[in-house]
Every structure is written in structure tokens, then in C-alpha cells.
């Protein structure tokens, strides 16, 4: 099967493919997603097949408006409505108890469903035109860095899905923040994104960061959100996180330098940096925007081992840290 590369003027073609039970690569403001009708078991199974995604890794369901969430859930807390008023449409996903309109394959066997209202006009319009709730995990081979351009999707998915819409580069570059509800005032961050803990605190009385954000789940623990259970976002190169000041980082890289060794560093680190490197931004927002693209570029230049200067796990930096620590398989060296 040859994958069609569509432009933004061909949304009607993509919408019909969704209606017909096919899978389409769709731009969102976070990363590109593999979109299919979330209520169609066969269509959802095509997503898992295209990605090589484990069946117990739940999918996010994208809606045109948060008011539609009542069609797919059994209960929505008042706090969810307050959060939706502030952050929807946008990069916030809320985990809620599901009803039978969402098949078990979509929810990874869980009795919950993750709901998001995307802000990207292309994704939003496809939901409206198709009239379908759309599951759209990142449009990459499972475990590989998420795609932030249509070209990334075509590289990973050509021949595996029906079409890809080219909507330019993703705005944020990391996936949405995923939360669950502890009580009427408290939420738990299951996966950090560009909606930060501080931003959530403007609406919530309390915000808990799940331990799995910075470490792996226990062996038999179920993933209640995408991005929690498995090694993710990893290029072919061996990624190693280094928590250190710049001098310590340079010293460590020098002691372990060799063929195929690169460093991924901040923009401000480059003056007199003596080894092969690539930069991924000057601050956490830039790093979020660039990190997946840079991990893919490191594969393009055949890097074998990459030492990454660790971002500060605060604000959006927590999302970048989360993606990188999973890319590294939780291999972190603290100097």
C-alpha cells in the first residue's frame, strides 16, 4: 500500500478515509498522530499494527469539543469542566471512566478513557468532518522518537497507513500532559507536557506528579496513560543522560569519547565545547520543540552513543526530562 501525502486543502480526503476505517497521519499542536475512528475496533487495531504498539498501551481519544466527552464516559467531575474551560482546546488530556462506546482495544483493556480536545486546526477540522472520535497516538514506530513533521511520519509509516497530511512542524514538539483525578480538588500528572504543574495549580487545589514520570512502572503495574510503561522515544543510538554542570559534563564526555560518540547540549554550551555535538535549544520550550527532531537527526549521522545534558525537571523541562529519561531507558549518570 502506497501512503498518500496530502496537503491541508485535502482534509476532506483524510476525513473520508477515517470514516472508511482507515488510518491517517494527522498534524496536531503536540506531535503528529496516527488518526483512526476510536469507536471502530478494526480501525484501532490498524493503528497498533502500523506502530507495532503493545496492546496494553492505551490510546488518547480526540474530540472536537469537551462537551462531547459525556458520550464516551460514565462520570465527569466538576474539576474536569473547570480544567476544560481553561485548557481546552489544547495540550491537556484527562483520564475519565469510559462507557461501552469506547472499545477495550482503544483503552488498552482499562475501564478508563483518555480525552483530549486538540487545538491544531487540521486535526480539529477532521474530527468535525468525520463526525468520529479519533484515536491518535504518535505517528511513529513504537519506541522510536515521536514525529514532529510529515516527513518524519512518511519515513516511519510509508506503506503502513493510507495517508499523511502535511501541516508543517508541530508547535510544541512533545505529547500532551495527561492527568487523572484523585478527588474533587486534586489531579495526578501521569505524563508531563506543555501544560505544566504550575499551570494546573491555577485551577486545582493540589497536583501530584506520579512516580512513573521519573522512573519506570513496576513489573506488573498497568499503564493508565500512554508513555508510562515502556522504553519510549529512543533512536538507534545509545542515549545516556548526564546530570551535571557544564564542566563536569565536558570532563565525563572526554573520558568516554570515541568513534560515533556525540553530545546533545544546550545552545549556550557551545563556546569552546571540544567534542562532536548537536544542540537542542536554549530553554525548556525550545528543547521541547526540538528534542525529538534532534534524536532523529543523530540517527541520520550514524551516532552510536549520545551523552545528553539533562534539562532541569521543572515546568516544561519536566516533560523534556521525562522523554529523555525514557529514551535513555532510565540510564542516568549523576555527577
Amino acid at each position: 500500500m502506497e501512503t498518500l501525502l496530502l496537503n491541508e486543502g485535502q482534509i476532506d480526503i483524510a476525513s473520508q478515509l477515517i470514516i472508511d476505517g482507515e488510518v491517517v497521519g494527522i498534524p496536531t499542536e503536540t506531535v503528529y498522530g496516527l488518526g483512526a475512528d476510536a469507536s471502530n475496533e478494526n480501525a484501532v487495531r490498524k493503528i497498533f499494527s502500523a506502530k507495532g504498539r503493545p496492546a496494553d498501551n492505551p490510546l488518547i481519544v480526540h474530540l472536537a469539543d469537551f462537551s462531547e466527552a459525556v458520550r464516551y464516559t460514565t462520570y465527569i467531575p466538576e474539576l474536569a469542566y473547570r480544567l476544560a474551560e481553561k485548557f481546552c482546546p489544547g495540550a491537556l488530556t484527562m483520564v475519565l471512566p469510559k462507557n461501552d462506546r469506547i472499545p477495550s482495544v482503544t483503552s488498552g483493556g482499562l475501564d478508563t478513557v483518555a480525552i483530549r480536545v486538540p487545538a491544531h486546526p487540521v486535526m480539529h477540522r477532521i474530527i468535525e468532518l468525520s463526525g468520529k472520535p479519533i484515536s491518535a497516538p504518535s505517528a511513529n514506530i513504537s519506541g522510536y522518537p515521536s514525529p514532529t513533521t510529515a516527513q518524519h511520519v512518511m519515513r516511519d509509516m510509508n506503506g503502513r497507513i493510507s495517508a499523511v497530511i502535511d501541516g508543517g512542524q508541530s508547535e510544541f514538539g512533545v505529547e500532551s500532559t495527561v492527568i487523572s483525578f484523585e478527588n474533587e480538588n486534586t489531579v495526578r500528572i501521569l505524563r508531563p507536557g506543555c501544560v505544566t504543574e504550575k499551570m494546573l495549580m491555577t485551577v486545582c487545589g493540589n497536583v501530584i506528579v506520579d512516580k512513573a514520570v521519573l522512573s519506570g512502572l513496576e513489573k506488573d503495574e498497568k499503564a493508565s496513560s500512554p508513555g508510562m510503561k515502556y522504553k519510549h522515544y529512543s533512536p538507534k543510538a545509545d542515549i545516556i543522560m548526564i546530570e551535571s554542570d557544564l564542566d563536569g559534563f565536558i570532563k565525563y564526555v572526554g573520558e568516554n569519547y570515541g568513534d560515533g560518540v556525540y553530545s546533545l547540549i544546550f545552545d549556550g554550551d557551545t563556546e569552546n565545547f571540544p567534542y562532536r555535538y548537536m544542540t537542542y535549544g536554549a530553554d525548556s520550550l525550545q528543547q521541547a520543540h526540538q528534542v525529538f527532531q534532534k534524536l532523529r537527526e543523530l540517527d541520520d549521522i550514524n551516532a552510536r552513543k549520545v551523552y545528553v545534558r539533562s534539562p532541569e525537571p521543572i515546568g516544561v523541562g519536566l516533560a523534556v526530562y521525562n522523554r529523555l529519561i525514557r529514551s535513555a531507558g532510565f540510564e542516568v549518570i549523576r555527577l
Side-chain angles (χ1 to χ4, degrees):
M1 174 178 64
E2 183 179 353
T3 299
L4 299 174
L5 182 59
L6 307 175
N7 60 48
E8 292 189 31
Q10 297 173 296
I11 293 176
D12 57 332
I13 297 175
S15 301
Q16 188 59 53
L17 286 168
I18 296 288
I19 293 168
D20 293 342
E22 299 300 328
V23 179
V24 178
I26 308 174
T28 82
E29 70 274 29
T30 55
V31 298
Y32 273 69
L34 283 186
D37 179 359
S39 63
N40 181 332
E41 287 192 35
N42 290 332
V44 172
R45 291 186 193 283
K46 290 179 183 179
I47 292 178
F48 282 90
S49 177
K51 283 180 64 70
R53 184 183 178 97
D56 62 347
N57 200 2
L59 305 181
I60 292 171
V61 175
H62 297 73
L63 305 176
D65 190 270
F66 190 74
S67 63
E68 297 174 11
V70 295
R71 299 178 60 192
Y72 307 103
T73 58
T74 59
Y75 172 70
I76 302 175
E78 178 60 32
L79 180 55
Y81 286 107
R82 298 205 307 270
L83 287 164
E85 186 175 354
K86 181 153 189 175
F87 298 112
C88 295
L92 180 66
T93 296
M94 295 184 251
V95 176
L96 300 165
K98 78 175 188 70
N99 63 26
D100 291 341
R101 288 194 178 97
I102 297 298
S104 180
V105 64
T106 302
S107 64
L110 300 174
D111 59 3
T112 55
V113 59
I115 299 288
R116 182 164 97 86
V117 181
H120 196 288
V122 171
M123 178 60 144
H124 203 272
R125 185 63 178 148
I126 288 175
I127 299 170
E128 291 179 329
L129 286 176
S130 68
K132 304 293 185 181
I134 294 182
S135 289
S138 55
N140 57 299
I141 300 297
S142 189
Y144 199 62
S146 298
T148 56
T149 68
Q151 288 68 39
H152 292 163
V153 183
M154 287 296 289
R155 183 186 300 183
D156 288 12
M157 292 291 151
N158 194 10
R160 293 171 177 256
I161 62 175
S162 295
V164 178
I165 300 181
D166 189 348
Q169 187 161 12
S170 301
E171 178 184 357
F172 292 130
V174 294
E175 298 85 352
S176 62
T177 302
V178 181
I179 61 169
S180 61
F181 294 87
E182 298 289 298
N183 56 49
E184 62 184 14
N185 290 309
T186 303
V187 299
R188 179 182 295 271
I189 295 177
L190 303 176
R191 182 181 72 187
C194 288
V195 176
T196 64
E197 179 182 4
K198 184 176 180 180
M199 293 164 69
L200 291 168
M201 283 294 293
T202 63
V203 179
C204 305
N206 187 32
V207 177
I208 300 167
V209 178
D210 195 272
K211 64 180 178 61
V213 166
L214 297 177
S215 62
L217 291 177
E218 299 299 326
K219 184 178 179 181
D220 297 322
E221 192 174 356
K222 285 189 175 182
S224 52
S225 162
M228 290 185 75
K229 188 169 185 179
Y230 299 94
K231 183 179 179 181
H232 274 295
Y233 322 116
S234 187
K236 296 172 186 174
D238 185 18
I239 303 297
I240 301 168
M241 290 265 285
I242 307 291
E243 293 185 7
S244 171
D245 61 21
L246 181 57
D247 289 342
F249 182 86
I250 292 173
K251 183 174 184 294
Y252 188 88
V253 172
E255 291 170 350
N256 295 274
Y257 198 60
D259 291 342
V261 173
Y262 284 79
S263 296
L264 190 59
I265 59 177
F266 309 152
D267 285 9
D269 295 342
T270 59
E271 187 175 357
N272 299 321
F273 192 86
Y275 307 111
R276 289 184 295 268
Y277 69 83
M278 195 176 285
T279 64
Y280 72 117
D283 56 41
S284 58
L285 277 173
Q286 291 180 12
Q287 288 160 3
H289 184 68
Q290 296 184 38
V291 63
F292 288 143
Q293 178 175 331
K294 297 299 182 178
L295 290 175
R296 285 173 173 265
E297 288 177 6
L298 285 160
D299 271 356
D300 291 342
I301 59 176
N302 297 315
R304 295 209 309 258
K305 182 175 289 187
V306 181
Y307 293 105
V308 181
R309 188 114 128 84
S310 172
E312 191 78 14
I314 297 172
V316 177
L318 179 63
V320 182
Y321 187 98
N322 169 265
R323 301 322 190 264
L324 284 170
I325 199 172
R326 277 169 164 69
S327 174
F330 304 101
E331 185 173 357
V332 182
I333 295 170
R334 297 175 173 89
L335 302 180

